[in-house]
Amino acid sequence: MTAKIIDTRAIGLDVSLTFAKWLTGTENLHYGDWTGLDVCAANLGAAQEAYTDRLFTYLPKEPCRILDIGGGSGVTAGKLIALGHHVEIVIPSAFLAERCRANAPDAVVHEMMFEDFQSDATFDICLFSESFQYIPLSDGMPKCLTLLAPEGRIVIADCFRSEGFRADPVRATVGGGHGVVRFRKAVADLQLDVISEVDVTSVVAPSVDIEQGLFNIVGHAIERVDQELVAKRPKSRWLMDRVLRLFINTRKRTRLKQRLMEQSRNRDSFAANNTYLMMVLTQPRK
């Protein structure tokens, strides 16, 4: 009998969405737009709403067909449908597909990789809202060109690694995404026109501070338990430490400590190593 693999990703998403809903009242996991807001957990919901409002300015006001690629928990799709748009979602995660069906019951949900998606219909908008970085650069935009209507557009809101970024072999650097230089070359190679582009790095970066604050709370709790074990159960604590070292390598332990105990993942580090863009691309005219 084959042992079932524990889906730690689904567990993490479940916990994250539950926490987000408890804190903000909705299952948003995306960055916030902190323009004019004090950076604190109480304003996270307002910042995320402001982010969505900004994103929607890049979309047509009249009803259209939107392909939401990597639609998260379906909250954004639900808002788009409420505005009159027809929305189809492509999402590879079974857990997130379930949340999309709950939060956007009128959307068509395709539970699959974007690379495998096929459609007889065409779309006015291919939307990547913090999902572009998870799709190979060689697949994302070229695939969209096979799905867009003649006047269709690609809308991207996502993080890119800044020019000159160099990854640390041990410690994690906050942020991620395709290299912005490689991305711009791909856009040029496909002869796409950039009709709108705004660098919003500075207004979304404070979201990292909120996330880090949450991890530090968890880290503090773990540290307090560890202190009690050292003082009152030293042999048990020593054994636990030996077991953890057997299953978690130095790199992973370093990154876990960095995330839970430090504040190196902050808005300044994010802005120094990443470029967050909101942009609209149009396909080349035939």
Side-chain angles (χ1 to χ4, degrees):
M1 182 176 178
T2 304
K4 293 183 178 180
I5 298 174
I6 297 174
D7 190 348
T8 56
R9 180 176 175 81
I11 294 171
L13 287 168
D14 192 0
V15 172
S16 297
L17 288 173
T18 300
F19 178 80
K21 190 167 186 178
W22 171 78
L23 182 62
T24 68
T26 189
E27 292 181 336
N28 278 322
L29 292 177
H30 58 70
Y31 284 78
D33 180 341
W34 293 89
T35 305
L37 293 171
D38 291 333
V39 181
C40 62
N43 284 332
L44 177 59
Q48 289 179 323
E49 288 296 324
Y51 173 98
T52 300
D53 290 343
R54 182 190 285 266
L55 176 64
F56 282 12
T57 64
Y58 294 89
L59 303 175
K61 288 185 170 57
E62 64 277 6
C64 65
R65 293 181 58 86
I66 298 176
L67 183 64
D68 187 356
I69 302 160
S73 62
V75 173
T76 297
K79 293 177 179 178
L80 290 171
I81 290 170
L83 293 172
H85 301 294
H86 171 85
V87 180
E88 297 191 27
I89 301 170
V90 181
I91 187 83
S93 163
F95 173 77
L96 288 178
E98 178 184 345
R99 298 314 306 148
C100 286
R101 295 184 184 105
N103 290 319
D106 294 325
V108 178
V109 179
H110 305 275
E111 188 180 320
M112 62 177 62
M113 300 287 286
F114 178 57
E115 296 91 322
D116 299 326
F117 177 69
Q118 301 290 332
S119 177
D120 293 329
T122 57
F123 299 88
D124 302 300
I125 299 291
C126 282
L127 172 63
F128 295 94
S129 179
E130 295 189 1
S131 58
F132 188 76
Q133 62 181 286
Y134 301 110
I135 299 170
L137 195 55
S138 58
D139 293 326
M141 292 182 293
K143 179 82 173 185
C144 288
L145 294 179
T146 70
L147 298 167
L148 286 173
E151 299 298 322
R153 299 179 175 184
I154 301 171
V155 177
I156 300 173
D158 212 340
C159 183
F160 297 85
R161 283 302 192 189
S162 300
E163 183 176 1
F165 169 76
R166 294 290 182 272
D168 189 298
V170 178
R171 292 172 61 83
T173 304
V174 65
H178 301 297
V180 70
V181 174
R182 289 181 58 241
F183 167 68
R184 294 197 188 283
K185 183 179 185 304
V187 170
D189 289 344
L190 291 169
Q191 299 181 329
L192 298 173
D193 292 326
V194 181
I195 64 170
S196 178
E197 177 183 320
V198 178
D199 184 333
V200 295
T201 307
S202 62
V203 300
V204 304
S207 300
V208 177
D209 291 346
I210 303 300
E211 179 194 51
Q212 186 57 60
L214 170 62
F215 281 119
N216 284 156
I217 291 171
V218 175
H220 176 70
I222 293 173
E223 187 175 39
R224 287 292 295 117
V225 171
D226 187 59
Q227 289 171 353
E228 285 293 297
L229 288 172
V230 169
K232 299 174 182 178
R233 299 286 189 275
K235 291 182 179 179
S236 297
R237 196 269 183 188
W238 179 88
L239 180 61
M240 290 170 60
D241 183 65
R242 294 302 101 183
V243 171
L244 285 174
R245 288 177 182 274
L246 286 175
F247 291 98
I248 305 177
N249 62 35
T250 301
R251 181 173 180 268
K252 289 182 178 179
R253 291 200 307 273
T254 299
R255 291 192 170 198
L256 184 61
K257 180 180 178 182
Q258 177 188 3
R259 176 162 289 218
L260 295 177
M261 306 300 181
E262 300 178 9
Q263 289 85 40
S264 56
R265 296 168 58 88
N266 55 51
R267 72 179 83 176
D268 293 332
S269 177
F270 180 86
N273 293 284
N274 302 276
T275 303
Y276 198 112
L277 300 175
M278 286 190 175
M279 62 194 314
V280 180
L281 307 171
T282 57
Q283 55 193 324
R285 295 187 179 276
K286 297 180 181 179

